[in-house]
Structures are given as structure tokens and as C-alpha cells.
Amino acid sequence: MRFAAERPRSFVVATPGGAGARLVVEEELRRRGWRAVASPVGADVLVVCGEPGAELAQAIEVVWADVPGPRARVQVAAGVRREAVARALDGAAAELADVPRQWADAAERVAAGPWTPDDSGDEMSGHGGGHGGHEQGGHAAHGDMGGDGDGGHEHHMGAPGGVAMAERADDRDGLKLDVLHVPLGPVLSDWPAGLRVSLTLQGDVVQDAEVGVLGGAGDGVVEWGGLAVAHLDSIGRLLAVAGWAAAAERARILRDDVRAGVDRRVEVERFARQVGRSRTLRWMIRGLGVIDRAAVERYGLTGVAARYPGDVADRLAGRFVEARKALGGGADVELDDPAALLRVLPSLLVGAELAAARLIVASLDPDLAREPVHG
């Protein structure tokens, strides 16, 4: 417990409207040398940024159940200041070192028994949650995905442990393959706050996708501190999903410096060139999630997705351009319309591999807390 209290590992969850609080938390974690982890299983502290709505709160409870003891939980409000975050994290460290409290928490968990998907009354596997009120259908066929080819009759054998078993269906080559229904979100690292994507997979290829939003309980106002900050944040999240941890950290340091009013135009220019020269990154993201001019018109896209049509690589390069323009005092530009991004997202995911789906979502990075605004 002493080790956990001295250098806790934190899993950070943001709600729609809680991005500003997330930035403050991430900066304070880095200042302390506390590690932010990608999974609640490896965390000591769960940090919730913003106020979740009912469905998102339920998903967060599932994540909290995954955090092993000793553990502590912190809730920070949207618009929080660094001093308040520091006090909250100090309290978490003290809670981790409180042996009687940790023993009591462990006893309560043992008495409650192991969590199963049946406990939630909803589809909570994969850190998912219920489908929010905003549903966007996928662009693949919604046929009978569970039929056995014999008159469409299914024989349901139940779900061991409450976890749904694979179904079977014909793939696009006419082969009979297992069909898996996999939820992504709404609680994942480097993931748009409140977004839930329900995927239908055959092998590791997406056959169908539906998106929903689990909202926050706040007013939806996010204080980014400027367009450059928002773009650098999105760049850092995409690089983290791509597995380039050092570059993701560099993007976040630049983001926080810019947010603090430090002139980082030269450093951002240099960083953009470094990222652009990476052959590995270019090979990884080239050709993924292609948006052409026709899609821009069809879905009413704005912002980066509209001004830099193409694939994930094009959108990443476009964010660097937009960040440099903003740092140079360029004219205000229209931001992405999150509703339009939700409309186009299923069409980009269908046919992609599961690993590519995370990169496609990160390249769009919709801010689901707001309506379209101008920077």
C-alpha cells in the first residue's frame, strides 16, 4: 500500500463537458510523476472528470469494479482549477495509505461477490454502457446475423456467465464465419468522452457499426484555451492510440505549455516535421477512414474532416496545419460538427479491421459536449 500511495497509477475518465478538467488532471499527474495507465486493471486511482449522466455513470461503476485494491476514486468538476485537483489527488494518496479503509473496501467487495454482466441489466461488457439517446445506424446490411441457414431458425443456448456467445453468418466471400458483437466505449483511454460504438465483427473485420452517445450531466461548456490546444490534444490522443507513447507525451506537453500561454510555435513546427517523417506511422495510418469530397457534402462535414479530405494521415497533418495557424494568430475557422462526425463514422468503420477502428475514431475525435461552434 505504501508503494501505491507514493506513486499511484491513475486511470482518467472524462465525461462530455469534462475535457477541460481532464487537461488539468493530466498536467497535474505529469507534474507529480504519477503514471496514467490505459486500463483500470492496472490503476490504483480512478479519476472522473466532469459530471456523468445516468447511463455513463453506470458504465463508470463497471470500470470502478475493475480497479484492484488498494484503490481510490476522485471526482473533479468541469472548470476545476489546478489547486483543487492537487488537493483531490492528495486525498486519493492518503486514502490508498489508509489500511483500515482499504481492508473495509476489500471486505465489501468480497461480500458483494464477483461482478457479472447480468448485474448491470445492460450491455456493460468491454467497459460499455447502454446505448444513449443518439443512435446512428451503420451502413452495412442489418440482416439476420444469427441464422443457421436452415429457414432462419436460431437455437439459443444461453450465455455462459452472461457473456454473449458468437453467432454465425456468411461473410462477403460467402464463407460461414463467427459473428461477434463488440462494444467500444464509452470508457476507454484516449477515446471521445461519452462515445459508444457497437461493432459487429467477422474475424477482426467490422461488418456493421452503430454509434451512440452517453451524455454528461454538466452544461457542455469546454474551456480548451484555444484552437491550438484542442488540436494538440487530438494529436496526442491519436499518437497514443497508434502506440507512439513518446510522441503522444510530447504533444501533451506542448498542449499544456500553449494552454499556459507559452509561445511554442517553433517547437510545434519542429514536432510536426518529426511526426511527418515517421515511415512507421505513415504505413500504419495510410488508407484508413478515407473521407472524399462526396462524403463531405453527403454528411455535412465541417472542420478538419472537411478541409483536409482523405485518410487518417491527412487529418493528422491537417491538425498540425490548423494548430500552427492558430498559434500564428490565423483567422478563426469553423470547428468540426460532432453530429456530422457521428453520421459519417459508421461508414468509415465498416470494412476496417478492429485495430484500425480505434485509429479512425481517434482521427475524428468528436467533442460530444458541444454543438457546432466557431473558434
Side-chain angles (χ1 to χ4, degrees), residues 112-157:
W115 178 87
T116 69
D118 290 334
D119 292 340
S120 66
D122 204 340
E123 299 175 11
M124 302 294 289
S125 58
H127 300 151
H131 292 282
H134 305 285
E135 290 289 342
Q136 306 288 337
H139 291 258
H142 291 271
D144 184 359
M145 303 299 288
D148 58 6
D150 184 18
H153 297 290
E154 298 180 4
H155 302 279
H156 297 283
M157 299 180 64

Side-chain angles (χ1 to χ4, degrees), residues 92-318:
E95 185 176 339
L96 289 173
D98 187 338
V99 176
R101 183 167 184 169
Q102 293 301 327
W103 275 113
D105 179 60
E108 290 177 5
R109 300 177 79 175
V110 170
W115 178 87
T116 69
D118 290 334
D119 292 340
S120 66
D122 204 340
E123 299 175 11
M124 302 294 289
S125 58
H127 300 151
H131 292 282
H134 305 285
E135 290 289 342
Q136 306 288 337
H139 291 258
H142 291 271
D144 184 359
M145 303 299 288
D148 58 6
D150 184 18
H153 297 290
E154 298 180 4
H155 302 279
H156 297 283
M157 299 180 64
V163 179
M165 297 179 67
E167 302 168 356
R168 307 201 78 185
D170 294 332
D171 77 346
R172 289 177 290 186
D173 296 324
L175 302 174
K176 190 75 89 174
L177 297 177
D178 285 344
V179 175
L180 296 175
H181 302 286
V182 177
L184 294 179
V187 183
L188 288 173
S189 62
D190 300 302
W191 181 261
L195 176 65
R196 178 183 170 93
V197 179
S198 299
L199 301 178
T200 299
L201 301 178
Q202 285 185 313
D204 64 347
V205 178
V206 178
Q207 302 294 323
D208 187 35
E210 296 182 350
V211 302
V213 177
L214 279 66
D219 57 14
V221 177
V222 178
E223 296 295 336
W224 283 105
L227 283 175
V229 173
H231 286 305
L232 287 169
D233 183 63
S234 293
I235 289 168
R237 285 150 73 87
L238 175 55
L239 294 173
V241 172
W244 195 355
E249 183 70 6
R250 179 60 177 159
R252 287 161 177 162
I253 291 173
L254 290 172
R255 174 200 69 189
D256 293 340
D257 286 350
V258 171
R259 193 165 182 265
V262 181
D263 185 354
R264 289 288 185 242
R265 286 176 291 180
V266 173
E267 289 82 358
V268 169
E269 180 73 38
R270 186 181 301 122
F271 180 54
R273 290 197 300 268
Q274 176 193 357
V275 172
R277 287 195 301 265
S278 173
R279 295 181 180 179
T280 301
L281 180 65
R282 188 164 58 249
W283 169 82
M284 181 183 297
I285 64 179
R286 181 64 66 188
L288 300 181
V290 175
I291 296 177
D292 57 21
R293 287 293 183 187
V296 171
E297 297 297 328
R298 184 183 314 121
Y299 295 102
L301 297 175
T302 59
V304 170
R307 288 191 292 275
Y308 305 91
D311 56 16
V312 170
D314 293 314
R315 290 190 287 278
L316 175 60

